[in-house]
Amino acid sequence: MKNKIHIIGASGSGTSTLGKALAEVLPHKSLDTDDYYWISKFTEQRPVPERIEMLKKDLSHSEQWILSGATVGWGNCFATYFDLVIFLWIPPEVRLERLQKREIERYGEEVLPGGENYEQSQTFLKWAALYDHAGLEVRSKALHEQWMDELSCPILRIEGDYSVEKCLAMVKEYLSTDS
């Protein structure tokens, strides 16, 4: 059994959703990097040393955990912690549509043209759209690929537009055949 699982991918690829779903079927605690990265979600970033200290503390409290979201760039010190990394990738058009819907679900009309959070939402969506084509200067597929190349743990790649149930089945099948 892989006790320390890290799920990474682009914003909107389903890392948090899969992490929570896995924690419901495995004896693992679910953690999300957003809870360490942000003081005030999506508006005020926590200083890197504080993020690292908080995450180290929480990871040390459990033998079995699933960490969703990326530590690449700010938490590279955690690379040796993982028994398994799951990389999620979905086609950009599907992912960006999910993100646009999520923005409206979270913030309502405030993210529509003329709304109070329209510019902030557009900036986020433009940043998220960079993932598949950007270089190493931002959170990108290229950056994630480079980071994964340096890992010593196995990597399970789930690439495609799959349901949460299908992703769960793929992970469970991988874990059952892992020796």
Side-chain angles (χ1 to χ4, degrees):
M1 171 64 71
K2 301 295 186 191
N3 291 320
K4 298 170 179 161
I5 301 170
H6 186 32
I7 306 172
I8 66 168
S11 184
S13 64
T15 61
S16 298
T17 302
L18 180 58
K20 289 174 189 165
L22 274 172
E24 290 179 9
V25 298
L26 297 176
H28 291 57
K29 180 179 181 174
S30 176
L31 302 168
D32 195 291
T33 58
D34 279 346
D35 296 329
Y36 303 91
Y37 192 91
W38 300 103
I39 292 173
S40 176
K41 243 185 186 162
F42 313 123
T43 56
E44 185 182 357
Q45 294 179 11
R46 182 173 276 115
V48 172
E50 194 177 322
R51 280 181 227 163
I52 290 171
E53 190 60 37
M54 288 175 65
L55 184 53
K56 277 184 180 178
K57 180 181 176 195
D58 287 353
L59 294 178
S60 71
H61 285 250
S62 180
E63 286 294 314
Q64 296 177 306
W65 44 258
I66 298 162
L67 177 64
S68 54
T71 61
V72 177
W74 64 267
N76 291 337
C77 61
F78 295 107
T80 60
Y81 282 46
F82 312 125
D83 295 330
L84 172 67
V85 168
I86 300 171
F87 174 70
L88 299 181
W89 180 89
I90 61 172
E93 61 278 2
V94 175
R95 186 174 58 77
L96 294 171
E97 184 178 321
R98 280 185 188 178
L99 287 173
Q100 288 172 336
K101 286 180 182 177
R102 186 172 79 184
E103 285 286 283
I104 292 169
E105 287 170 7
R106 281 185 178 163
Y107 306 110
E109 293 183 6
E110 291 181 17
V111 297
L112 299 176
E116 188 176 311
N117 292 331
Y118 176 74
E119 291 301 323
Q120 180 182 348
S121 178
Q122 290 302 298
T123 299
F124 165 70
L125 292 170
K126 285 175 187 168
W127 169 82
L130 294 172
Y131 182 82
D132 285 280
H133 307 290
L136 304 177
E137 71 281 0
V138 297
R139 182 173 162 190
S140 65
K141 189 170 190 282
L143 183 63
H144 281 164
E145 294 286 356
Q146 179 187 57
W147 181 79
M148 288 186 293
D149 284 345
E150 298 171 6
L151 295 175
S152 58
C153 70
I155 298 164
L156 171 61
R157 299 175 81 91
I158 300 177
E159 299 184 22
D161 184 17
Y162 300 110
S163 68
V164 176
E165 294 76 21
K166 177 67 176 168
C167 290
L168 273 173
M170 286 189 255
V171 173
K172 287 167 61 176
E173 179 180 345
Y174 176 85
L175 293 173
S176 72
T177 59
D178 181 51
S179 45

